[in-house]
Amino acid sequence: MKTNRKEFIKASTLLGLGTLTLGIDKAFSADPKANSAALDILPVSGKFELAPLPYAFNALEPFIDAQTMEIHHGKHHQAYVNKLNEALAMEPSLQGKSLEDLLLNLSSLPENVRSMVRNHGGGHWNHSFFWKSLKIGTQVGPKFTEMANKSFGSVAQFKANFEKLATGIFGSGWAWLVLQDGQLKIMTSANQDNPLMDAGKDKNRVPKIILGLDVWEHAYYLKHKNKRADYVSSFWNVVNWDEIEALLK
Ligand SMILES: [Fe+2]
């Protein structure tokens, strides 16, 4: 994540997001298992499982099509779960740990499974979080509005900044909204990395992830083809703002 943090700071400067400040953030639960339970990703008998989508494949139509959702969840997400389990089968000492535990302490994992946990464990966490971020028909809430005004100047400016960074990610990756040091920040990551990775080194500054957007082509290509910007701008129609309010409280 070092490169991504560097990119974030650079982007922050470019977009006038302000300088990173030090402080105490208690947003992320001290108990990683509580976070895994909330995402329904605790391992069962040492193995991770793919939870069903919390809605029908066509629930996000017309903004995200049913076929994309079916393939994205049933094929791509399932593959991350399978490969993560393959990695953990190689290292029984890691079995039973929550996914947050693994990601927060990624660098300390045995080298033979580290990149597999990074890619496939990251993929499992990111997609599990993503599905819960999506719903049609919710409205931006008061807590988010207050915090976006403080961190970005306005909700509209937050959206503009987020769209610019998400659209500009080179290759596959994710755009994130996180709460850290008492303020909202936009981050980006390559591949299936996320802001939790190795964040356990500084337990007082573990970012709480509020929103994530998958900008891998598999998330939008069937509907939007190569036009990532169209996918990103239509994302606001399916953001579950109720979930965001809950995460901020
Ligand atoms: Fe994806």
Side-chain angles (χ1 to χ4, degrees):
M1 292 295 293
K2 279 181 185 165
T3 303
N4 299 323
R5 285 186 203 285
K6 214 179 286 175
E7 285 171 357
F8 164 66
I9 293 168
K10 189 178 164 193
S12 299
T13 306
L14 286 172
L15 296 169
L17 298 181
T19 315
L20 294 179
T21 54
L22 296 176
I24 303 297
D25 177 53
K26 294 176 181 166
F28 199 77
S29 170
D31 176 9
K33 286 196 173 177
N35 297 302
S36 280
L39 285 181
D40 201 15
I41 54 173
L42 279 174
V44 179
S45 303
K47 283 198 159 192
F48 289 96
E49 296 179 343
L50 178 64
L53 263 189
Y55 36 74
F57 291 125
N58 65 358
L60 305 172
E61 295 266 13
F63 307 108
I64 301 180
D65 59 287
Q67 189 183 13
T68 292
M69 290 300 291
E70 192 167 359
I71 296 169
H72 200 172
H73 177 265
K75 302 295 183 188
H76 292 280
H77 191 172
Q78 181 70 67
Y80 294 124
V81 174
N82 294 348
K83 298 261 185 190
L84 174 61
N85 284 328
E86 282 177 28
L88 297 185
M90 293 161 58
E91 278 295 336
S93 64
L94 301 180
Q95 289 180 6
K97 286 187 180 289
S98 73
L99 194 44
E100 277 85 0
D101 264 336
L102 297 172
L103 300 182
L104 287 166
N105 303 291
L106 194 63
S107 293
S108 67
L109 301 186
E111 201 173 346
N112 61 323
V113 296
R114 198 181 304 150
S115 63
M116 287 181 78
V117 172
R118 178 179 194 156
N119 293 332
H120 305 296
H124 183 31
W125 196 97
N126 295 347
H127 288 84
S128 299
F129 183 89
F130 187 51
W131 309 136
K132 286 180 179 283
S133 303
L134 307 177
K135 187 177 183 181
I136 286 179
T138 64
Q139 302 298 320
V140 175
K143 185 66 185 170
F144 176 76
T145 300
E146 177 197 329
M147 296 198 69
N149 288 344
K150 187 176 142 202
S151 298
F152 306 107
S154 67
V155 173
Q157 191 60 54
F158 155 70
K159 287 183 175 179
N161 294 354
F162 189 91
E163 284 187 34
K164 184 169 183 176
L165 285 173
T167 304
I169 293 169
F170 182 75
S172 300
W174 290 74
W176 304 99
L177 175 68
V178 306
L179 180 60
Q180 189 182 45
D181 304 329
Q183 61 179 307
L184 294 173
K185 300 171 184 177
I186 301 168
M187 294 179 161
T188 63
S189 63
N191 302 315
Q192 294 297 350
D193 285 1
N194 72 35
L196 298 181
M197 289 181 177
D198 274 329
K201 288 174 181 169
D202 186 350
K203 289 185 170 44
N204 290 326
R205 299 192 68 239
V206 175
K208 179 172 185 175
I209 297 179
I210 304 298
L211 183 67
L213 175 59
D214 186 347
V215 297
W216 283 57
E217 283 188 343
H218 67 226
Y220 63 86
Y221 203 84
L222 289 179
K223 184 174 180 65
H224 296 284
K225 301 297 183 287
N226 61 322
K227 296 176 182 168
R228 181 192 285 176
D230 290 355
Y231 162 70
V232 171
S233 62
S234 77
F235 174 55
W236 307 117
N237 294 298
V238 296
V239 169
N240 186 344
W241 295 103
D242 294 342
E243 185 73 16
I244 288 177
E245 285 294 291
L247 287 169
L248 290 174
K249 280 174 183 167

